Amino acid sequence: IAGKIVERRADVGQSVKPGQLLARLDPADAALQATQAEAQRSLAAADLVRTRDLREKNFVSAAALDARETTFRAAEAQAQLANNQAAYTTLVADRAGVIGQVLAEPGQVVGVGQAVFRMAPDGEREIAIAIPEGEVSGFKSGQPAEVSFWSAGTAAKPLTGRLREV
């Protein structure tokens, strides 16, 4: 959901477990929306009860009662949605992995669906490399590959893998 990040508990390179708290949005706006939706649901429920009483006395039409029932169902669904949205103010890891990139900071306002972290899931890792255009034809998907990192120096053991995609 949209909101202001008030807390960030994960940094680049940190290993995380499923369910671990990564960040938290300011819950005030979501709580206000949930309260507003609940108030609308309560109003629609009271209006429905009054309309049912009037319908029993034949003071209102069946169509008017149907309209109030529809309004109540819509308000009830909106209240449930607002309560669900309030739970999204806490961002937790959905799986084990390593934080690869932090895309938002405390104090920043994020939009709906905006990424806050990039995470590499535990297990197989993927490395992207650039190959000069003239040498691409020498590489085929599935072929074995050996990767070494310049920053690790000559003493580091190379990693073995396979070329997944060209």
Side-chain angles (χ1 to χ4, degrees), residues 1 37 43 46 68 86 101 105 121 165:
I1 63 171
L43 177 62
R68 295 298 186 269
Q101 191 175 14
E105 298 294 331
E165 179 181 2

Side-chain angles (χ1 to χ4, degrees), residues 11 60 68 75 86 101 105 107 143 162:
D11 288 311
V60 296
R68 295 298 186 269
Q101 191 175 14
E105 298 294 331
Q143 80 180 58
R162 64 175 178 80

Side-chain angles (χ1 to χ4, degrees), residues 4-166:
K4 181 179 180 180
I5 297 175
V6 293
E7 180 181 18
R8 190 188 84 212
R9 291 196 178 176
D11 288 311
V12 172
Q14 181 179 345
S15 293
V16 295
K17 296 175 176 57
Q20 181 176 335
L21 176 66
L22 302 177
R24 193 182 313 271
L25 295 177
D26 184 355
D29 289 344
L32 288 172
Q33 287 177 341
T35 300
Q36 178 188 23
E38 185 56 38
Q40 291 294 329
R41 190 204 64 76
S42 295
L43 177 62
D47 197 27
L48 178 59
V49 168
R50 283 190 295 275
T51 305
R52 282 180 178 155
D53 288 344
L54 291 173
R55 179 65 189 140
E56 286 176 10
K57 296 174 184 172
N58 218 16
F59 289 150
V60 296
S61 67
L65 177 59
D66 290 345
R68 295 298 186 269
E69 287 175 344
T70 300
T71 300
F72 171 73
R73 284 194 302 273
E76 190 169 46
Q78 189 64 39
Q80 289 174 352
L81 178 63
N83 284 325
N84 288 348
Q85 294 284 319
Y88 297 142
T89 59
T90 302
L91 179 63
V92 296
D94 61 345
R95 61 187 177 266
V98 177
I99 301 297
Q101 191 175 14
V102 175
L103 303 168
E105 298 294 331
Q108 182 178 340
V109 176
V110 293
V112 173
Q114 180 178 341
V116 177
F117 298 97
R118 292 211 195 288
M119 186 174 81
D122 270 351
E124 192 174 276
R125 298 285 189 241
E126 184 174 290
I127 299 171
I129 61 169
I131 300 171
E133 196 174 313
E135 296 179 28
V136 169
S137 62
F139 294 90
K140 303 287 182 235
S141 293
Q143 80 180 58
E146 192 172 272
V147 179
S148 57
F149 299 97
W150 291 342
S151 61
T154 57
K157 181 181 174 187
L159 302 174
T160 58
R162 64 175 178 80
L163 190 60
R164 186 176 63 83
E165 179 181 2
V166 177

